[in-house]
Amino acid sequence: MTLVRFPRSTRVVARHASDDGLDTGALEAALREVVDGEVRFDAATRALYANDGSNFRRVPIGVVIPRTIDDVVAVHEVCRRQGAPILARGCGTSLSGETVNHAVVIDFTKHLHHIGDVDPDRRLVRVEPGAINEQVNHAAVEHGLAFGPDPATHAYCTIGGNIGNNSCGTHSLLSRLAGNGSRTSDNLESMEVLTYDGVRLRVGPTSDADIERRIAEGGRVGQIYRDLRELRDRYGDAIRKRFAPIPRRVSGYNLDELLPENGCNVARALAGTEGTCVTVLEATLQLVPHPPERSLLVIGYPDIYTVGRHLTEIVDARPTACEAIDHALFHAERESGLNPSELSLLPDGQAWVLVEMGGDTKAEADDRAEELRKRLAASDDPPSGASLFDDPDQEQRLWKVRESALAAETFPQDEADRWQGWEDSAVPPERMGDYLRDLHGLLDDFGYHGATYGHLADGCVHSSISFDLRTAGGLGDYRRFLEAAADLVVSYGGSLSGEHGDGQQRAELLPRMFGDELVQAFREFKAIWDPDGRMNPGKIVDPDRFDEHLKLGTAYNPSRPATAFAYPDDHGDFAHATLRCVGVGKCRTPEGVDVMCPSFSVLGEEQHTTRGRAHLLDAMLRGDVITDGWRSQEVFDALDLCLACKGCTNDCPVNVDMPTYKAEFLHHHWARRLRPRHAYAFGLIDQAARVGSHAATLYNIAATSPLASAIRSAGGVAPERELPKLAHTTLQRWHRRTTRKSRSATHTGGDRPSVVLWPDTFNNYFHADVGIAAAEVLDEGGFEVLMPRRHVCCGRPLYDYGFLDMARRYLHHVLDELRPWIRAGIPVVGIEPSCLAVFKDELPKLVPHDDDARRLADNAMHFAEFVDRYELPLPRRSGDALLWGHCHQKATGGIDPDARVLARMGYDVETLTGGCCGLAGSWGYEADHYDLSMACGEQGVLPAVRAAAPDSLVVANGFSCQTQIATGTDRRARHLAQVINDAN
């Protein structure tokens, strides 16, 4: 580090030092001596934190997970002695590269997330930097308040990250309604911060008298305030001239907050500095009124440019949110099969605006929305159509159209991948239409494609663009486009960034927006706080180029091994599949509303997220940090706690398919080696059950005798688990005995329509009563029930241990058994959700070149799906029913049919949420997983079932779910087939 000091009338220039000669071993040892939390310099952790949501990848020196604020202070002290750079990181979802660096990363999310008491009178709340945005709002809404800025990642992003990035969000208009601005800085009262050289101070609004007092105190703090005042006075006129007066100016440092007319709020000046100046230890946030009721007005326009012309009128109606999408995004979602029912609700148009109105009552919100609709309809340039939605469920579904943008846009079918780079430019809202027209023209000039959508009412445009980031020519075009785009947005009086910050992505372009004089002021501002230049170096000030340190780039050339699965959505490329994770971080949602990721929800560890596992697999193929390929213990350990629940295949916005990746990895990891004994015991459970079914009574006696311990030990079963009992009569034997006439494999049955009931291993050999109930319901419903006569198995347990060659053989056997029925178009109904999911998910990927495999995948149905679709007659009952959905069913069709069937029967249905039950097939049976398995269940289903009224019906279709509920509560769940059959 070289710091050149000049006289007070001249400039201070800080340059970040080289990391050459840093003794990482000594650094790690020194940190371990003083940090009570966790110090991790291992390969797995460094690979995990090398990525964020941006185009960049930087492997950190190491990671510290502090347990206390004192730990954070100690990290700064050690790093200062050793000369190591520091990067304070929140959720790691940043899109501009500000949360990856070759530095010591401090992750606040695991422990430092305390939220203080809300002060409703002053509308303030004090939080630690790891506090989650959504949880702050949960605390505030009890007082009718909210923290206005809520980025798309609000369910899991941290306030520290919001501050570092100066985030905004969909409901930042709430802040503007209350007289604040859209950005986090506009809603920040004060902060406690820590400098690299150990100064700890509280900053906020600062009067001239306060400045004088601080200066008079002398020392480092006095010097900071003296330098801030001199910088403000020296550059004040340039700041007033060049800082764009728009809602979403996020680029650059907030030097305008130092001006006397703005109250000289030093906390707000530090917001958006992306960890390049100080580390935030605590923040006091300003809260705004939160309307208790909302209504949604969706307005259609002929094109996105016309939307721009109406924004002022819409904003004048004082909405709580206003988001726009264009036809390109609509088309991308339709082609991807996303939100089909929601897309059908949109009114006429080729671009749409979702306008949310708030009110104290639903009627008030409706009236305000209706008033806007009438005013727009009466204008000289009326919309193409408009629809008012005031049902909360419908409103939430429609917001998914906007929230699914990343999923639909990043990897469009049959088109080039799209990337960040120019994803959040901002202009004055009243100039949005003209800017969008010129931006689209620029995209056309370069042959790029990308939808445009986002916070248009605030002047901010989102777009992922089909940049070629792999070739020298593509990177040259990338540079020329960004330079031209920067000049374009500046010509409109706009900002390079309207939400995601500068980081490495846009910092190189800041002179085009602010000029060299103010960029020098930024440099001096950083030097005031960080004279050693060790805080997140290479970002905003003296930045690295935006075409270096790319996660792709011209040197990207990962290993591309032959694979067992086909990966059709990734062109057969496993490397592309691991690259599919774009770092959005939804798998870090703590509340367990979604299924993914159960182990993260308990442990809070990045390696147990879908994102973390994808990044480790990506690093494994790159071979730079994870160097032992398929034999990697780091990757194995991360995947070992993946429950293969399939939650990510449904909940992840870009559909990262971690269960498939895990099976693929284990297939190669154990190649030509013996697996642990439990892999054979659980993986081949169908064969054990087939043999055992001939002596079911003897086995059941043994399973409840002292021999049970030996059986558990031999199979690797947790001692706390009861061994499942075998049915005295299998489902297939029962079916053969009770069938009215003998059937051959090709006979489709008399005059009644036919249906194939799949005799999965669990409901054939163990819970045959469930299978019998299903067969009787189908028969009662007027269907001829067909069933394979020979032993068949989809091989579901084989995937969990990487037996993919064997699984493929099982599937070929299944196809051979069912082929005549498949070709006759007879529906195949599954009782066990995980087994039916094999047909819909794994089968086409493992047997991709068999047309009958696709036919089976398309014609296979979950039991409730069949009952609902064919409207089978149902008995009438009444009472409360708690419905728990199996993870694999949620991922391959959902549980709405179950809820509809129960409602048709007369039940008052409550659909339970809260992640995964935690058993996940054999996973929770394994001895090493038992404690975590039960902890996952405690995230949702187990406490909900315990709290249910004694006479409430508990419905759970999966063998795993039923077993876990029985283990963790005193209740027994029933399969939907049993519920219907018992009532007949």
Side-chain angles (χ1 to χ4, degrees), residues 165-168 176 181-186 238-259 262 268-273 424-429 458-460 489-490 493-502 510 513-514 518 522 540:
N165 211 50
N166 207 6
S167 300
C168 304
R176 290 176 63 185
S182 298
R183 306 167 301 173
T184 294
S185 60
D186 302 320
I239 293 169
R240 294 180 179 95
K241 179 180 178 181
R242 295 297 295 261
F243 272 60
I246 60 174
R248 291 289 190 105
R249 184 203 55 74
V250 171
S251 279
Y253 289 154
N254 295 327
L255 300 186
D256 55 327
E257 296 289 356
L258 297 176
L259 298 175
N262 293 330
R268 293 183 176 184
L270 286 169
T273 55
D424 71 323
S425 55
V427 297
D458 255 354
C460 182
V489 77
V490 170
S495 176
L496 305 176
S497 172
E499 182 158 38
H500 300 149
D502 298 315
L510 287 175
M513 178 178 172
F514 291 101
L518 283 182
F522 296 157
I540 304 183

Side-chain angles (χ1 to χ4, degrees), residues 902-919:
L902 288 167
R904 279 176 55 203
M905 292 180 68
Y907 287 106
D908 185 5
V909 183
E910 178 186 354
T911 301
L912 300 179
T913 61
C916 171
C917 78
L919 190 56

